[in-house]
Amino acid sequence: MRVVAIGGGTGLSTLLRGLKNHVAPRQRQNSHHPIADLAAVVTVSDDGGSSGRLRRDYGVLPPGDLRNCMVALSEDEALLGRLFQYRFHSGRGLRGHSFGNLFLTALSHVTGDFTRAVRVSGEVLAIRGRIFPSTNQLVSLEAALENGKVIAGETRIGATRVPIRRVRLVPRKVKPLPEVLEAIASADLILLGPGSLFTSIIPNLLVSGVAEAIEKSRATRVYIANLMTQPGETLGYTVVDHVRAIHRHTARKIIDCVVINNQPLASDVLRRYKSEGAEPVSVDLAELQRMGLQCIFDNLLEVHGVVRHNSARLASLLLEEFIGK
């Protein structure tokens, strides 16, 4: 099977971390691993933190989400992965930067091409799979809010407490990487999410040609539903609301199936998240079925301070339902 995973942030790296153990090593011809190729398509609209500083100072694509995906797919997360994730806590100009972000920035200047720098970095980390930015262009994100205001920048959009009506890329017309369209065209399974709806998932789909390629693909197209709403960004959103937002932004129906967690949260975790303006994403099953979507439920929950998908269980479910058949 050829798998394409689309997203950004911690959601995409969580998904990749579980899938990588099922990807056939390139040097082994007679592998029994069920995934022949795993391609990650990563959003590049981040404008905050170390990524935002490097983008402004050096004119490179924001490397943070790409770095996290590399580490998630690396053979040795214990050593090289820790090195790439190492963040400088002091030093004039260095403070706040991660080693991996600096490495990618430097390598992009040495090679003259950010996408090539990502590929070479992946070779250094011996990643199981391929990683592509959704576009090679510098783009930013803009959001029209329900109160009529327009705000610019992924950081401000992620922090808003006003409901979002629509997000747009700036500039409007953004060219995709040819490799992204090729990976989608040859995929057997396309995975969207988990991750921030308006800042991690939808921005990839607004790149010219990406949503069209997904619509035309013969692959099974799966949305992995978020576990929690996000304050402001998706406050009160159900799973149906997430799916409708994707279809509205792309003007296409590009989801066949939704994967949903069915394990409830402990009351103390619920209280803590509620105090921060977040709650579990509710499931309106009848409406999802009326939309013609297949729904698959399982215990996908992991709580270690924060609520996350369990990488191994999510990968096992995807293997069982879509890849192993």
Side-chain angles (χ1 to χ4, degrees):
M1 294 282 286
R2 302 177 70 86
V3 180
V4 173
I6 301 173
T10 56
L12 181 57
S13 55
T14 296
L15 172 65
L16 297 177
R17 186 169 287 110
L19 290 175
K20 76 175 176 187
N21 297 316
H22 307 284
V23 178
R26 294 189 183 279
Q27 66 271 24
R28 286 171 55 183
Q29 297 296 317
N30 298 315
S31 172
H32 296 292
H33 294 76
I35 302 177
D37 180 64
L38 174 60
V41 178
V42 187
T43 185
V44 287
S45 58
D46 190 6
D47 63 352
S50 170
S51 288
R53 286 165 59 193
L54 292 170
R55 170 180 171 153
R56 289 188 294 274
D57 292 345
Y58 295 98
V60 296
L61 294 179
D65 283 357
L66 292 150
R67 182 199 77 240
N68 286 331
C69 290
M70 283 182 200
V71 172
L73 287 176
S74 68
E75 290 274 12
D76 186 5
E77 281 193 67
L79 181 58
L80 282 175
R82 282 172 56 199
L83 174 63
F84 264 60
Q85 297 290 56
Y86 176 79
R87 196 170 293 276
F88 294 92
H89 298 289
S90 61
R92 189 173 181 180
L94 277 177
R95 186 173 182 177
H97 283 304
S98 71
F99 174 82
N101 285 1
L102 296 175
F103 184 90
L104 272 170
T105 301
L107 193 56
S108 70
H109 282 265
V110 170
T111 62
D113 178 53
F114 189 88
T115 304
R116 186 179 174 193
V118 171
R119 186 176 71 249
V120 173
S121 299
E123 292 170 2
V124 171
L125 289 171
I127 65 171
R128 290 278 189 96
R130 301 180 294 154
I131 298 173
F132 303 111
S134 54
T135 178
N136 232 349
Q137 292 179 240
L138 284 174
V139 298
S140 57
L141 204 57
E142 183 180 88
L145 307 180
E146 290 292 349
N147 62 7
K149 290 185 178 180
V150 175
I151 57 175
E154 182 181 306
T155 303
R156 289 187 66 200
I157 293 168
T160 185
R161 293 297 182 265
V162 180
I164 295 169
R165 182 181 303 158
R166 180 172 289 274
V167 291
R168 297 182 286 259
L169 292 180
V170 179
R172 295 285 190 269
K173 291 288 186 180
V174 178
K175 292 181 181 179
L177 242 64
E179 295 93 332
V180 168
L181 299 185
E182 290 165 10
I184 292 170
S186 62
D188 301 296
L189 177 66
I190 297 172
L191 304 172
L192 299 172
S196 299
L197 178 65
F198 291 110
T199 55
S200 290
I201 298 171
I202 289 176
N204 290 303
L205 305 176
L206 298 179
V207 174
S208 298
V210 170
E212 293 93 326
I214 296 172
E215 182 183 43
K216 291 176 183 176
S217 171
R218 290 176 292 180
T220 303
R221 302 161 300 182
V222 179
Y223 173 61
I224 302 168
N226 287 344
L227 300 170
M228 308 296 292
T229 63
Q230 293 179 273
E233 190 173 336
T234 54
L235 181 65
Y237 269 45
T238 65
V239 175
V240 163
D241 292 326
H242 283 76
V243 173
R244 282 178 175 156
I246 291 170
H247 287 167
R248 185 174 70 251
H249 278 79
T250 60
R252 289 169 170 79
K253 292 186 177 181
I254 58 170
I255 296 171
D256 303 311
C257 177
V258 183
V259 169
I260 304 167
N261 169 64
N262 63 2
Q263 178 69 16
L265 285 172
S267 57
D268 61 322
V269 178
L270 280 172
R271 282 194 300 270
R272 177 160 53 83
Y273 269 85
K274 189 173 183 178
S275 70
E276 298 168 358
E279 60 188 8
V281 177
S282 62
V283 181
D284 26 19
L285 180 58
E287 185 59 27
L288 287 167
Q289 291 173 335
R290 274 195 292 271
M291 294 170 69
L293 298 170
Q294 179 189 2
C295 298
I296 296 172
F297 294 85
D298 204 346
N299 173 12
L300 303 172
L301 192 63
E302 184 172 282
V303 182
H304 292 296
V306 293
V307 173
R308 292 281 185 267
H309 282 85
N310 182 288
S311 295
R313 285 203 296 270
L314 178 57
S316 295
L317 178 65
L318 294 171
L319 284 167
E320 180 183 331
E321 294 291 337
F322 306 109
I323 301 174
K325 294 181 180 180

